[in-house]
Amino acid sequence: MTLSFEISRLDSAAMTSDVSEAVKAVVSRAAVTDGTAPLSEQAVKAISADGSVQHLVVSEGTRIVGYAGIAAGSAEAPPMAEVVVDPEFRGRGAGRSLVDRALSEGGDGARVWAHGNLEPAQAVAARLGLTVARELLQMRRSLATPELPEVVVPESITLRTYEGPRDDAELLRVNSAAFAWHPEQGGWTAKDIDERRDEEWFDPAGVFLAFEEGTDHLLGFHWTKVHEAEAGEDEIGEVYVVGIDPASQGRGLGRVLTLAGLHYLRDRQLAEVLLYVEADNTAAVHTYERLGFSRFHVDAAYTRP
């Protein structure tokens, strides 16, 4: 059965609350069916936010059955698209057409995420002749076993938690330096911090900052997150962002900050924790494996050859 659908390109002003809510409902249904979120946190926020993201909305009659968000590229990063199709309307060509259109709209070097790299996404990629340009691992570990090592803070470092907006300038400086290469994380602004501070899940006690002792010079940070139970999965913690100033590498800060966050999440009585890491970042992957994490699934970014 083919689907008689229309793909409309909308700017942020045209993404009315009705359209945004319909798209988010598609995202929710897909998450339940697939067992993994089809769009990243940033992409979901962009559905109803002002910004430069291009929106492609797939409709059958008056019903919205699919969506793609295309984030503009930069000198350091290519344009990135994220796509979802309502499970009820899959297998009828909408996904293939939407991915093809998103890559065309994105321009040279554009990529499209397949979160979980599930079989339907692989099939679409094969039909379009796409190749994998980037892989992002999701790793997980139990917070009960193996036992967490103790947090040992070097004498030259002061470790404390977030104290509000006065910490934002240093946090942004380190984030920009640590993730200058990163397509999504490297572009954070004060607005991104403000938005996350307003989220229900935000807890300042779960943001750890490492300073040069006796100074306000930030060396690195670990921002944790707690995901509510959804899509058949229990509440779970996340090593949300670990950022180390490149000038401070080699001092063991990654391990100290990560462990501080893991102890915090364990003390919140969470059973499990997840994190994301680039598959080709072998040093980070080995560090997390030594801390008891193992590979859970892979997100793949596809592109045209």
Side-chain angles (χ1 to χ4, degrees):
M1 179 179 178
T2 44
L3 176 64
S4 176
F5 59 85
E6 177 183 1
I7 300 178
S8 303
R9 177 179 172 178
L10 305 177
D11 60 17
S12 294
M15 290 291 288
T16 64
S17 58
D18 288 345
V19 173
S20 296
E21 290 307 310
V23 169
K24 290 177 181 178
V26 171
V27 172
S28 295
R29 288 193 290 273
V32 171
T33 297
D34 299 335
T36 189
L39 304 184
S40 66
E41 176 193 56
Q42 190 71 18
V44 172
K45 286 180 178 294
I47 293 170
S48 54
D50 293 334
S52 60
V53 171
Q54 299 179 50
H55 306 280
L56 301 178
V57 176
V58 184
S59 303
E60 184 189 38
T62 59
R63 180 170 176 178
I64 291 174
V65 301
Y67 168 81
I70 309 160
S74 66
E76 294 81 19
M80 295 295 302
E82 301 194 41
V83 174
V84 60
V85 175
D86 195 314
E88 183 182 342
F89 293 87
R90 292 175 179 173
R92 308 182 197 179
R96 184 167 67 252
S97 296
L98 190 53
V99 169
D100 191 39
R101 174 77 177 272
L103 290 174
S104 296
E105 293 278 354
D108 290 344
R111 300 175 180 180
V112 58
W113 275 118
H115 294 289
N117 201 18
L118 305 175
E119 287 187 11
Q122 294 179 40
V124 167
R127 292 190 190 102
L128 293 174
L130 307 181
T131 59
V132 175
R134 179 182 168 200
E135 288 185 319
L136 188 67
L137 300 181
Q138 186 188 123
M139 304 181 74
R140 296 192 179 194
R141 68 154 282 164
S142 164
L143 285 168
T145 56
E147 181 67 25
L148 288 175
E150 291 302 312
V151 181
V152 180
V153 183
E155 292 183 3
S156 59
I157 293 169
T158 298
L159 182 68
R160 66 166 173 82
T161 54
Y162 182 72
E163 294 182 352
R166 76 182 188 91
D167 287 329
D168 290 357
E170 276 294 278
L171 198 154
L172 282 172
R173 179 188 62 79
V174 171
N175 184 80
S176 295
F179 297 104
W181 55 274
H182 197 283
E184 296 88 24
Q185 186 69 32
W188 269 24
T189 66
K191 181 181 178 182
D192 291 291
I193 293 182
D194 290 344
E195 288 177 349
R196 285 157 179 78
R197 196 166 47 226
D198 290 340
E199 293 281 359
E200 289 185 9
W201 55 260
F202 176 73
D203 181 0
V207 182
F208 297 86
L209 308 174
F211 292 89
E212 196 75 67
E213 189 175 30
T215 76
D216 293 324
H217 181 70
L218 185 66
L219 305 175
F221 67 93
H222 176 191
W223 193 325
T224 67
K225 180 178 181 179
V226 177
H227 297 265
E228 294 182 356
E230 62 178 359
E233 187 166 52
D234 293 335
E235 189 178 42
I236 187 170
E238 180 179 354
V239 177
Y240 185 44
V241 188
V242 176
I244 308 297
D245 189 331
S248 301
Q249 293 284 358
R251 300 176 63 177
L253 289 167
R255 178 180 173 86
V256 170
L257 285 162
T258 300
L259 281 172
L262 294 179
H263 279 269
Y264 159 79
L265 293 169
R266 185 193 63 185
D267 292 345
R268 287 195 55 169
Q269 308 304 311
L270 296 171
E272 197 172 24
V273 60
L274 65 85
L275 60 82
Y276 291 92
V277 61
E278 300 290 332
D280 61 0
N281 189 345
T282 55
V285 171
H286 290 329
T287 294
Y288 292 131
E289 287 176 338
R290 287 195 295 270
L291 287 173
F293 285 87
S294 59
R295 302 179 188 210
F296 183 76
H297 80 198
V298 180
D299 294 342
Y302 286 94
T303 189
R304 291 191 173 115

